[in-house]
């Protein structure tokens, strides 16, 4: 049964009067209890509905475990290629050039005859020297016979002292003439041999410098051609005095063999098309003094050149192995922070706290740097995310992303 509005209001009014009357009859103790109960209910509701506190947020970093490796340290220089041997073929006797017995630009063997100079004059001199030698030998034989005849006569007092001395002098003069004639014959034969110009080395010969029929030798053109031995070439370059000091600090003597090393200072060179020559050369000489004008010293390496790819006179870039650091500790360059006080790296401890550790750096090789002191293998270092870190701060470590 629905109540009218006046009836409803009357009912509510009566209910409020009853509640007020009830509350008015409560004692102070009862009021305290009620308030405590209400406060407890409110507190319980607050505790039950309060959200849990968020966990602390630590900086996220990427780490790398420190390892050791053999590090090769190189230096780059400008070098010049030259032939192992460069010989000028010259005429040693005078005469007209009769023949050329080679093709220009070809490979020549040692001892191969290259040119023929008109030999007739020198052959005649040989014949003359032979005749003079035969004449002197005949006179020496006669002088020997005279001496052998005079000596027994002198012993029998049938010849005088003067006769004996004259015979001895004639014999000695005749034998000296024979020796002189033999020397003249040897000289004439040597000059005749020089009319056939031979190659002193094996190598590639240049074009001829004179034409057939030209007067060559002491009174004419003496340079006939040049021969280059280039199956092995030499590479010359210069190093600074600082490079020398660094190599000495590591007990590396350039240009000297060292059986205690497991490696040798070798070079590679870059060709004009910017490709690397496939063979390596060994350093075999270093100048013992520094040029005061340039502050550098000369270094030489020998390099095989079987296919004649390297041409004498070429300029090239030289890459020299200066040192090998065995079992060296290396770190990425991006993990190093450099400031006025030195260089430092953040090291992650087992409890994920970071330590700001100062280190001594060595040479830089590519994108990594050798650490001489301050770091050991198997420690974890921060490589990314260290820019806002402080010493002793906890971090969240994530694995690095492998780049494919």
């Amino acid at each position: 049964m629905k109540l009218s509005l006046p009836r409803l209001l009357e009912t509510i009014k009566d209910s409020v009067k009853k509640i007020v009357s009830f509350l008015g009859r409560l004692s102070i103790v009862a009021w305290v209890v009620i308030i405590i109960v209400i406060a407890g209910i409110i507190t319980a509701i607050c505790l039950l509905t309060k959200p849990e506190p968020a966990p602390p947020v630590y900086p996220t970093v990427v780490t790398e475990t420190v390892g050791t490796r053999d590090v090769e340290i190189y230096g780059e220089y400008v070098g010049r290629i030259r032939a192992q041997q460069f010989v000028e073929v010259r005429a040693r006797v005078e005469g007209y050039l009769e023949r050329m017995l080679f093709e220009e630009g070809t490979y020549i063997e040692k001892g191969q005859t290259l040119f023929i100079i008109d030999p007739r004059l020198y052959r005649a001199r040989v014949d003359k020297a032979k005749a003079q030698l035969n004449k002197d030998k005949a006179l020496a034989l006669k002088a020997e016979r005279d001496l052998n005849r005079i000596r027994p006569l002198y012993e029998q007092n049938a010849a005088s002292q003067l006769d004996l001395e004259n015979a001895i002098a004639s014999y000695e003069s005749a034998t000296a003439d024979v020796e002189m004639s033999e020397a003249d014959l040897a000289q004439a034969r040597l000059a005749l041999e020089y009319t056939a110009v031979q190659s002193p080395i094996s190598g590639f010969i240049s074009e001829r410098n004179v034409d057939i029929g030209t007067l060559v030798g002491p009174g004419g053109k003496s340079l006939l051609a040049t021969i280059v031995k280039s199956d092995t070439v030499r590479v010359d370059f210069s190093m600074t005095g600082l490079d020398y000091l660094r190599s000495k600090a590591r007990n590396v003597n350039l240009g000297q063999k060292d059986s205690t090393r497991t490696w040798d200072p070798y070079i590679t060179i870059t060709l004009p098309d910017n490709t690397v020559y496939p063979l390596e050369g060994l350093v075999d000489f270093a100048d013992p003094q520094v040029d005061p004008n340039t502050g550098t010293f000369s270094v030489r390496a020998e390099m095989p050149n079987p296919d004649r790819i390297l041409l004498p006179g070429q300029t090239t870039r030289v890459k020299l192995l200066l040192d090998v650091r065995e079992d060296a500790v290396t770190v990425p360059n991006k993990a190093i922070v450099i400031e006025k006080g030195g260089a430092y790296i953040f090291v992650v401890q087992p409890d994920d706290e970071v330590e700001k550790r100062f280190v001594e750096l060595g040479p830089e090789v590519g994108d990594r740097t050798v650490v001489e002191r301050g770091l050991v293998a198997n420690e974890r270092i921060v490589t990314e995310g260290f820019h806002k870190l402080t010493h002793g701060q906890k971090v969240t470590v994530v694995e690095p992303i492998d780049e494919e």
Side-chain angles (χ1 to χ4, degrees):
M1 184 173 85
K2 294 182 179 180
L3 297 177
S4 62
L5 180 59
R7 181 67 177 171
L8 178 61
L9 293 175
E10 186 67 24
T11 302
I12 294 173
K13 185 177 180 180
D14 291 341
S15 299
V16 171
K17 286 180 179 181
K18 292 178 180 180
I19 294 171
V20 172
S21 177
F22 174 76
L23 294 175
R25 292 195 298 270
L26 294 175
S27 65
I28 294 176
V29 175
W31 277 106
V32 172
V33 172
I34 292 172
I35 292 173
I36 293 174
V37 171
I38 293 173
I41 294 172
I42 293 172
T43 302
I45 293 173
C46 291
L47 292 175
L48 292 174
T49 58
K50 180 181 179 182
E52 295 184 3
V57 179
Y58 300 126
T60 300
V61 297
V62 177
T63 64
E64 177 182 305
T65 301
V66 177
T68 60
R69 66 184 69 184
D70 291 345
V71 178
E72 296 180 342
I73 300 172
Y74 294 89
E76 293 191 2
Y77 311 92
V78 177
R80 182 175 295 275
I81 298 172
R82 63 184 175 94
Q84 185 184 31
Q85 287 182 282
F86 182 86
V87 177
E88 294 179 341
V89 179
R90 294 182 177 272
R92 304 176 70 173
V93 293
E94 187 178 56
Y96 290 98
L97 195 64
E98 281 192 345
R99 283 181 291 166
M100 182 183 75
L101 305 177
F102 65 93
E103 293 185 9
E104 297 167 314
T106 59
Y107 187 81
I108 301 299
E109 296 288 348
K110 180 179 180 179
Q112 180 177 337
T113 302
L114 306 177
F115 298 95
I116 298 295
I117 299 173
D118 186 0
R120 291 175 296 177
L121 174 63
Y122 300 96
R123 191 176 292 118
R125 290 178 178 175
V126 169
D127 293 339
K128 180 180 178 181
K130 283 182 179 179
Q132 184 65 44
L133 176 61
N134 292 333
K135 177 182 177 182
D136 291 337
K137 284 182 176 180
L139 293 176
L141 182 59
K142 179 180 182 301
E144 181 182 9
R145 290 171 179 171
D146 292 342
L147 177 60
N148 292 334
R149 185 177 64 254
I150 293 295
R151 182 171 283 121
L153 294 176
Y154 171 76
E155 293 173 353
Q156 298 173 6
N157 294 323
S160 66
Q161 178 73 29
L162 179 61
D163 292 335
L164 178 61
E165 291 178 353
N166 288 338
I168 294 174
S170 297
Y171 173 72
E172 291 177 348
S173 176
T175 54
D177 289 340
V178 170
E179 293 176 355
M180 184 179 297
S181 296
E182 288 177 344
D184 290 340
L185 177 59
Q187 186 175 5
R189 284 174 173 170
L190 187 60
L192 179 61
E193 290 179 3
Y194 287 160
T195 61
V197 182
Q198 297 180 339
S199 174
I201 63 171
S202 298
F204 286 89
I205 193 167
S206 68
E207 64 179 352
R208 68 178 187 270
N209 289 349
V210 293
D211 294 324
I212 303 301
T214 304
L215 179 65
V216 297
K221 292 183 178 181
S222 62
L223 180 60
L224 306 180
T226 56
I227 300 176
V228 175
K229 180 177 175 59
S230 59
D231 52 353
T232 298
V233 296
R234 289 173 174 169
V235 183
D236 297 322
F237 56 98
S238 296
M239 297 177 63
T240 65
L242 181 58
D243 290 329
Y244 174 79
L245 293 177
R246 288 174 176 171
S247 64
K248 292 297 292 182
R250 294 286 297 167
N251 294 321
V252 178
N253 296 315
L254 294 173
Q256 300 180 18
K257 293 184 178 181
D258 189 345
S259 59
T260 63
R261 288 197 309 259
T262 58
W263 58 277
D264 288 311
Y266 69 86
I267 68 165
T268 57
I269 63 175
T270 302
L271 299 175
D273 59 357
N274 291 326
T275 60
V276 177
Y277 185 64
L279 301 179
E280 298 175 348
L282 287 178
V283 174
D284 64 348
F285 170 78
D287 200 321
Q289 60 183 358
V290 173
D291 186 343
N293 296 322
T294 62
T296 62
F297 64 98
S298 300
V299 181
R300 183 187 70 200
E302 283 200 355
M303 178 165 287
N305 186 33
D307 299 324
R308 295 188 68 218
I309 296 176
L310 306 177
L311 297 178
Q314 279 182 327
T315 300
T316 185
R317 295 200 305 273
V318 177
K319 187 176 181 181
L320 167 65
L321 178 63
L322 294 172
D323 194 6
V324 176
R325 301 288 184 90
E326 298 177 347
D327 297 327
V329 174
T330 64
V331 298
N333 296 340
K334 61 183 180 180
I336 302 171
V337 182
I338 299 178
E339 58 182 23
K340 290 184 178 179
Y344 64 86
I345 297 173
F346 281 103
V347 181
V348 181
Q349 302 298 329
D351 59 357
D352 288 343
E353 285 189 2
V354 294
E355 174 192 352
K356 182 180 178 181
R357 186 181 300 176
F358 284 88
V359 294
E360 181 182 339
L361 301 180
E364 182 177 328
V365 182
D367 61 350
R368 302 184 73 86
T369 299
V370 176
V371 177
E372 303 284 9
R373 294 181 181 86
L375 204 61
V376 296
N378 298 323
E379 290 190 296
R380 288 187 301 166
I381 62 172
V382 178
T383 58
E384 296 181 27
F386 54 79
H387 301 287
K388 296 183 179 180
L389 296 181
T390 58
H391 179 76
Q393 185 177 8
K394 276 189 170 291
V395 293
T396 300
V397 178
V398 297
E399 295 295 329
I401 300 175
D402 294 333
E403 297 181 358
E404 295 182 357

